[in-house]
Amino acid sequence: MLKNLDFFKEKLIEEKNRIEMELRKIASQDAEGDYKTEFEDYGREREDNASEVENYTASLGITESLETELEKIVLALKKIENGSYGKCEKCKKDIPIKRLEIYPAAQNCVECQ
Ligand SMILES: [Zn+2]
């Protein structure tokens, strides 16, 4: 059992807030809490449309990876609440504290990653 859970909880919440802020810049949240990438309309010109699509495609990718990251953080926070934080999902061993310090949302130890 980890002693300094509060330290990780704080780090996770900080990271969660940062990601949510990033997401809000490029996407809007629907009623279910899913993030939808916003399509920015630059204008009607051919070049405008091309960069609109380019930007939208880039934003889609970013939204997706941010959402995945956010899910991991939410999961890690739940684990803190139910006392299973810091255990590898696969081998059930403790994840080394050094790894959690670098990446608090880690679900697996290095060997199982
Ligand atoms: Zn493992």
Side-chain angles (χ1 to χ4, degrees), residues 23-24 27-38 63 67:
L23 273 168
R24 262 183 252 124
S28 56
Q29 220 174 351
D30 67 15
E32 278 95 52
D34 276 329
Y35 286 92
K36 296 267 172 287
T37 309
E38 284 183 55
T63 304
E67 261 193 300

Side-chain angles (χ1 to χ4, degrees), residues 1-110:
M1 189 63 194
L2 286 166
K3 273 176 278 175
N4 46 352
L5 271 180
D6 282 344
F7 166 80
F8 290 106
K9 191 175 176 176
E10 230 167 82
K11 276 191 101 166
L12 285 162
I13 290 171
E14 227 171 75
E15 189 65 5
K16 184 174 178 274
N17 288 339
R18 191 188 63 81
I19 291 175
E20 281 173 342
M21 211 172 71
E22 291 293 315
L23 273 168
R24 262 183 252 124
K25 278 187 214 160
I26 52 169
S28 56
Q29 220 174 351
D30 67 15
E32 278 95 52
D34 276 329
Y35 286 92
K36 296 267 172 287
T37 309
E38 284 183 55
F39 193 94
E40 275 181 87
D41 204 346
Y42 298 137
R44 295 272 160 253
E45 300 299 320
R46 191 189 290 267
E47 293 134 66
D48 292 336
N49 289 338
S51 46
E52 274 167 26
V53 171
E54 211 172 279
N55 256 293
Y56 180 71
T57 311
S59 294
L60 269 185
I62 298 165
T63 304
E64 213 167 282
S65 55
L66 284 174
E67 261 193 300
T68 309
E69 198 50 40
L70 190 62
E71 273 166 29
K72 283 186 194 160
I73 290 167
V74 170
L75 196 68
L77 283 166
K78 264 190 205 142
K79 285 182 177 179
I80 286 180
E81 296 306 321
N82 68 26
S84 63
Y85 179 72
K87 293 245 185 292
C88 172
E89 286 278 300
K90 286 190 188 143
C91 67
K92 308 293 172 200
K93 282 185 203 151
D94 288 334
I95 300 171
I97 199 129
K98 284 256 178 294
R99 175 161 165 74
L100 290 171
E101 274 169 0
I102 298 162
Y103 187 48
Q107 312 284 334
N108 298 109
C109 67
V110 182

